[in-house]
Amino acid sequence: GKKTGFYHLESIGGRDWIVNPMGERVYLSGISVVSYAYSNEDYLETIYSSPKAFDVTAVEKFKEMNLNFVGHNSDFSNLKGYFPYMKVLPFLDATTEHGPENSDIWSPEWLAEVDEIAQGFALFEEKDPLLIGYWVANEPLNSIESGHGHKWIQNTVNNLNALGQPMPYAKQAFVDALKEYYAQTYPGQELAKLNEHYPVANNPTQCNGLTALTDFQQLYDLDWNCLYVDLYVGWSQPRYRAVFARERLNDLHYFNRLLVRQLMAKTKEAMDKYGANKHLNLGYKVAVDVDNESMEEMMRVADVYSIDYYKGVTDDSEFEKHVKERIKGWAERAGKPVLIAEFSFLHKDWNKCGGEAYPTADSQAQRGEYYKKYQDAVLASSPRVIGTTWYNYIDPYMSPQNIADVCI
């Protein structure tokens, strides 16, 4: 490969590859979480003198194991300049008021914060040759069709986030999106179709006593309980028997497209403004399936499609079907290189969540067996796959002292 001084992508010998700063091809194999904060701190303090000692020792072991990077939830302050890494930039930092579900990404405040983050990145990290790439967010939204990850859109429709703050710019963007979509889809029938799909008179208590919609702007004062609450059973599946469910889901898909477009375009615009574009844009990390419009809009900007893919099946035929074939499909849809940004197999005694989403094994030996099957299936799935990322270096409940109630 080419010696560019930074990690980059090249197509060599019919495969996509990450190429390191020295021009060497690399198949990425890393650990997403190397951190006291995501492990049993009390237990680790009996072994290591400090978090930095833990991090440095871990990296030395990784080198022996031919692992070649750490991921998004790692202690970068202790590892920077010492080992290759990827990170999530805090454009939608869930630990702040601008968390994914709480962010009004059309607001002047958010846009100013994005500009500040991009400027800081350009000053302090843009020249780092060990930074492979960055994500713009961690699982901000996934599938409207499954209901998993639509909370951000629900907060927007409600014009109220989880912190009790209004989201006026995003809500207006939602209103404008529906007006635009109906003009394109039902020219000359916009209000008639809007009233057909949203019969507000059937739900006067939740719809401010309205008997009909006479202007799209009236949507601004209507919330999720008026417009969409009957679409979903819990957060799991849409109720297609609900009145005009398909049409209203299509409305949400249209807004979802504009939401992803705004996120990707504005973050890229800020990074380009400060020349912070030497590193790979890894898009945002998604969990399992993502809607087509989300993928399309993300891949307009991102260099890599990043998927967090845990799968509970463990026999060979299921690995073939659910790992190899699904990743092949994602690669074809994305049209760009694919990175498995998280996966793991927990010991059965440590899996607090259970269920297919968090696969388990009966023993450490079996975990190793499943790890190999998974890696083999991923590698065989598509020449567009550039690597995988095991989730956590230290399992969160590896010792009896730990009472943490987390899943992975």
Side-chain angles (χ1 to χ4, degrees):
K2 299 176 182 177
K3 296 181 180 180
T4 65
F6 295 93
Y7 281 88
H8 61 281
L9 291 164
E10 290 189 37
S11 180
I12 303 172
R15 287 195 68 92
D16 286 317
W17 291 93
I18 288 285
V19 177
N20 70 18
M22 300 303 295
E24 301 165 332
R25 290 179 295 176
V26 176
Y27 183 79
L28 294 171
S29 185
I31 305 287
S32 183
V33 180
V34 184
S35 172
Y36 256 37
Y38 283 80
S39 304
N40 186 332
E41 294 186 49
D42 292 340
Y43 177 72
L44 294 178
E45 285 174 357
T46 67
I47 303 173
Y48 301 98
S49 59
S50 66
K52 184 171 183 177
F54 164 73
D55 294 334
V56 171
T57 302
V59 165
E60 290 304 315
K61 290 182 179 179
F62 296 167
K63 292 177 179 178
E64 295 174 7
M65 298 163 63
N66 290 321
L67 299 175
N68 49 34
F69 77 97
V70 296
H72 74 293
N73 277 332
S74 296
D75 293 328
F76 299 114
S77 60
N78 294 332
L79 297 172
K80 189 175 179 181
Y82 187 59
F83 200 63
Y85 66 102
M86 304 176 189
K87 68 183 302 183
V88 178
L89 296 185
F91 296 126
L92 299 179
D93 188 347
T95 64
T96 74
E97 63 181 4
H98 293 289
E101 297 176 0
N102 300 318
S103 300
D104 185 339
I105 64 172
W106 279 269
S107 72
E109 293 81 10
W110 183 80
L111 294 170
E113 183 170 316
V114 167
D115 188 87
E116 183 178 334
I117 291 167
Q119 185 178 25
F121 180 90
L123 288 172
F124 301 110
E125 296 187 272
E126 173 64 7
K127 296 180 181 179
D128 189 348
L130 292 180
L131 175 60
I132 298 171
Y134 62 88
W135 292 282
V136 302
N138 180 33
E139 298 184 11
L141 46 82
N142 294 296
S143 174
I144 288 169
E145 293 295 315
S146 73
H148 174 52
H150 71 258
K151 185 68 174 178
W152 194 8
I153 294 177
Q154 184 175 343
N155 287 349
T156 298
V157 173
N158 284 333
N159 194 8
L160 189 70
N161 67 22
L163 302 171
Q165 301 165 334
M167 304 172 70
Y169 297 93
K171 183 60 185 281
Q172 186 60 51
F174 168 77
V175 172
D176 294 342
L178 262 62
K179 185 175 182 180
E180 177 182 87
Y181 177 63
Y182 276 65
Q184 294 172 1
T185 310
Y186 313 107
Q189 306 178 67
E190 293 96 323
L191 279 174
K193 286 295 183 181
L194 185 69
N195 278 285
E196 185 179 340
H197 300 164
Y198 298 90
V200 292
N202 294 350
N203 191 8
T205 302
Q206 299 292 343
C207 296
N208 298 340
L210 293 174
T211 57
L213 295 169
T214 58
D215 190 284
F216 275 84
Q217 193 59 36
Q218 288 174 293
L219 293 170
Y220 188 90
D221 296 316
L222 300 179
D223 65 11
W224 188 270
N225 285 335
C226 169
L227 301 174
Y228 299 110
V229 71
D230 62 324
L231 283 186
Y232 293 95
V233 179
W235 61 267
S236 56
Q237 293 293 336
R239 291 177 59 192
Y240 293 105
R241 290 173 295 179
V243 60
F244 292 102
R246 182 68 267 166
E247 288 79 3
R248 286 186 287 155
L249 285 167
N250 287 343
D251 295 348
L252 292 177
H253 278 294
Y254 189 80
F255 176 66
N256 184 48
R257 177 181 292 279
L258 300 186
L259 183 67
V260 177
R261 183 180 297 173
Q262 177 78 356
L263 172 64
M264 297 304 301
K266 293 304 179 181
T267 52
K268 182 180 187 305
E269 182 180 305
M271 296 295 273
D272 288 347
K273 174 182 176 181
Y274 295 104
N277 46 25
K278 293 185 178 68
H279 303 285
L280 295 174
N281 183 325
L282 303 172
Y284 64 79
K285 295 166 81 260
V286 304
V288 196
D289 284 314
V290 68
D291 292 317
N292 286 332
E293 71 274 3
S294 297
M295 180 182 283
E296 289 170 6
E297 294 300 328
M298 178 164 54
M299 300 320 295
R300 290 174 186 268
V301 173
D303 300 306
V304 173
Y305 181 63
S306 303
I307 175 90
D308 297 343
Y309 187 45
Y310 299 81
K311 193 60 189 174
V313 296
T314 49
D315 64 75
D316 292 342
S317 64
E318 291 295 290
F319 267 106
E320 179 79 14
K321 176 181 178 183
H322 290 287
V323 178
K324 183 177 176 180
E325 292 304 317
R326 291 191 80 179
I327 294 172
K328 178 183 177 183
W330 289 326
E332 290 172 351
R333 285 171 58 199
K336 289 187 179 179
V338 173
L339 171 70
I340 305 301
E342 289 181 23
F343 82 102
S344 72
F345 296 92
L346 284 178
H347 190 284
K348 65 179 182 180
D349 294 337
W350 304 335
N351 190 346
K352 301 292 185 181
C353 289
E356 188 178 276
Y358 303 102
T360 57
D362 293 333
S363 65
Q364 292 288 56
Q366 194 173 61
R367 293 178 81 197
E369 176 189 340
Y370 292 163
Y371 177 89
K372 184 178 187 304
K373 285 182 179 180
Y374 188 98
Q375 294 281 32
D376 288 346
V378 170
L379 191 58
S381 65
S382 170
R384 307 230 67 170
V385 174
I386 57 172
T388 61
T389 319
W390 182 264
Y391 180 66
N392 203 342
Y393 172 48
I394 299 293
D395 287 296
Y397 3 54
M398 62 170 292
S399 81
Q401 299 100 312
N402 194 355
I403 58 172
D405 185 21
V406 294
C407 297
I408 46 178

